[in-house]
Amino acid sequence: MASYAALEGSPSEHGSRPNSQSSQSRRRHAKQPGIAGSASWVSSVINLVNTIVGAGVLAMPHAMSNMGIVLGTLVILWAGLTSGFGLYLQTRCARYLDRGGASFFALSQITYPNAAVLFDGAIAVKCFGVGVSYLIIIGDLMPGVVRGFGEPGEAVYLVDRHFWVTAFMLIVIPLSFLRRLDSLKYTSVIALVSIAYLVVLVVYHFAAGDTLAERGEVNVIKWQGAIPTLASFPVIVFAYTCHQNMFSILNEIANNTPTRTTAVVSASIGSAASIYILVAITGYLSFGSNVLGNIVAQYTPSVASTIGRAAIVVLVMFSYPLQVHPCRASVDAVSKWRPQRNTGGKRQHSHNEEFTPASGSPSRNSLLGNGNGGASSQNKVPLKPKPDDMGELRFAIITTAIIILSYIVAMTVSSLDKVLAYVGSTGSTSISFILPGLFYYKISSPDSAHHQRLLKDEDDEEYDAHSNASDAGDAGSPTPGSGASSWREAWSGKMKGRQWRREVLRKMSLALAGYGVVVMVVCLVINTFFVVAH
């Protein structure tokens, strides 16, 4: 902690600093460099909620049937809490990167540079697999939707899954070519309307009691055993996976203060958890132990249930571009990755190489001058990093490749359950728990120059704000200076408390990564011995 203490300075040193021109300079220095976004808080929450809540919400009643109402509710809340903590760690990690340049790849370049290609490769495969599953769901459900409104007669192509996969691709292709996630906020609103309809449909049938004749046993506390519970656990855990889009949301949001970004995480996870619990309880009480994996498929055929199936199609259709967006970014990062070369145990790079996406991240390295985190770098003029945008041709090629490949797979494969089970077990747990935990644990190390610089900037800025407020109070006090020493003592105590909280957060981040490894192992064992076996 010696290096941190040297940057932090003693209370007396802080107190002796002038509060005029130098404090204004420090405030300008503490401001996170980069390109500010323009997305609103509401649009950020809408896109994140749409990324979280998908067709998996319909499997919540079946998951609860294996756990009982009490345990099922607790597991849903626990899964939301752990996933939300992973999102929170991502907001903390983004503070070390330039504004608008946060990504898993950029973060890995300053933490685990030689493993960056593995991280982004796993994200690309996971998002691609989920996108393909959405197309398969469309092809499986649309023929049933058509039959729900009447027999197609001679138009037999209307009950052909290949026709509907092709037809809906024509809708999602233009949406997949949008560069900014914020541009999908209106389609996300439509998807959320579809979710609302499905929730209302489940609650309505529960309130109407028209499923009581088909209802099995209902358990409030009793569970079905360890094996069925563990088999349902991944369904709930994966239902909160949205971390692949979190950095894009942080890049595009206009106000990226810690309070604002934490509010985005809290609102999104809270909304998703509320939806999951409501559907799980009402759906389970409707059918009891007889509930199936897709509760909408159990309702008596009617116009309302047919519209419910159509709502699922709309939901997954508008969720497809939300998978293409991170998949494209990860493929771009993987294609630009180059292994770091060590010379004498030290990284060697040129002055400008630091900011190229292939060799380094658009990070707060620009504030560290030549890389030393000492106080001498404070007077260095920060370099302006290059934009990390893909060129038009590169953007078009990668997007087209993703769309064509996903279309081919969806047209030739009718079930990806086993493949997605393994992809979800590895990809979802990695980006939800393991990577956020490991990244924050590494970058927040007291010996990290990035961490030292960020703490120095933030503490100096807050110190100046409190110092100026104290000076203003002393100016109106009958005994000027009487409160200066007391508030400096309070400031010293505050810094010690903050340092303790940072150390606790760092240990919790490592615990989250360990938890992610446990979840991955459990899910892989379940898929290997129980899912594949059947």
Side-chain angles (χ1 to χ4, degrees), residues 144-287:
V145 172
V146 173
R147 292 190 181 97
F149 289 106
E151 289 300 323
E154 297 181 357
V156 292
Y157 61 88
L158 292 178
V159 292
D160 183 11
R161 64 178 301 272
H162 298 94
F163 168 79
W164 288 112
V165 172
T166 304
F168 277 90
M169 283 299 295
L170 299 177
I171 300 176
V172 301
I173 285 176
L175 301 176
S176 301
F177 275 90
L178 296 175
R179 276 186 174 271
R180 299 176 64 248
L181 203 64
D182 185 53
S183 303
L184 297 171
K185 59 186 175 184
Y186 299 112
T187 58
S188 294
V189 169
I190 298 175
L192 292 181
V193 171
S194 301
I195 294 173
Y197 178 83
L198 293 172
V199 172
V200 170
L201 182 67
V202 174
V203 174
Y204 168 77
H205 281 287
F206 163 71
D210 54 8
T211 61
L212 294 179
E214 307 173 42
R215 189 171 75 175
E217 181 183 4
V218 175
N219 296 313
V220 177
I221 300 177
K222 181 182 177 182
W223 67 341
Q224 299 300 318
I227 301 303
T229 298
L230 289 176
S232 298
F233 180 67
V235 175
I236 299 177
V237 172
F238 299 158
Y240 285 98
T241 303
C242 62
H243 302 66
Q244 67 272 14
N245 280 332
M246 188 61 197
F247 282 129
S248 295
I249 289 175
L250 293 174
N251 291 337
E252 296 178 12
I253 191 170
N255 183 354
N256 72 331
T257 59
T259 302
R260 201 68 166 169
T261 55
T262 303
V264 170
V265 173
S266 301
S268 302
I269 293 294
S271 300
S274 301
I275 293 173
Y276 290 157
I277 291 175
L278 178 61
V279 172
I281 293 178
T282 55
Y284 176 51
L285 292 178
S286 296
F287 292 99

Side-chain angles (χ1 to χ4, degrees), residues 457-534:
D457 291 341
E458 291 180 345
D459 292 344
D460 274 356
E461 186 175 20
E462 186 173 347
Y463 182 92
D464 289 336
H466 282 77
S467 178
N468 290 335
S470 176
D471 290 345
D474 282 343
S477 173
T479 57
S482 58
S485 58
S486 60
W487 87 260
R488 286 178 186 132
E489 293 176 358
W491 174 263
S492 178
K494 183 178 181 180
M495 287 298 98
K496 292 180 181 178
R498 177 178 294 182
Q499 181 179 341
W500 177 82
R501 289 192 297 270
R502 286 167 177 159
E503 292 175 351
V504 171
L505 182 62
R506 189 163 180 262
K507 293 179 180 177
M508 290 176 63
S509 67
L510 185 61
L512 180 69
Y515 169 76
V517 172
V518 173
V519 172
M520 179 185 295
V521 172
V522 170
C523 294
L524 288 176
V525 170
I526 291 173
N527 291 329
T528 301
F529 293 100
F530 302 110
V531 177
V532 176
H534 295 82

Side-chain angles (χ1 to χ4, degrees), residues 355-427:
F355 304 111
T356 59
S359 60
S361 67
S363 68
R364 293 180 74 98
N365 285 338
S366 57
L367 294 180
L368 294 173
N370 293 326
N372 54 8
S376 61
S377 63
Q378 180 175 347
N379 296 326
K380 294 183 181 294
V381 178
L383 300 175
K384 184 177 181 180
K386 299 177 181 178
D388 193 26
D389 292 335
M390 277 183 273
E392 294 293 339
L393 179 60
R394 185 181 185 85
F395 179 90
I397 291 175
I398 296 177
T399 306
T400 303
I402 294 172
I403 292 174
I404 292 177
L405 289 176
S406 61
Y407 173 73
I408 292 174
V409 175
M411 292 288 283
T412 56
V413 180
S414 59
S415 177
L416 282 180
D417 292 345
K418 295 178 181 179
V419 175
L420 288 178
Y422 284 102
V423 171
S425 299
T426 55

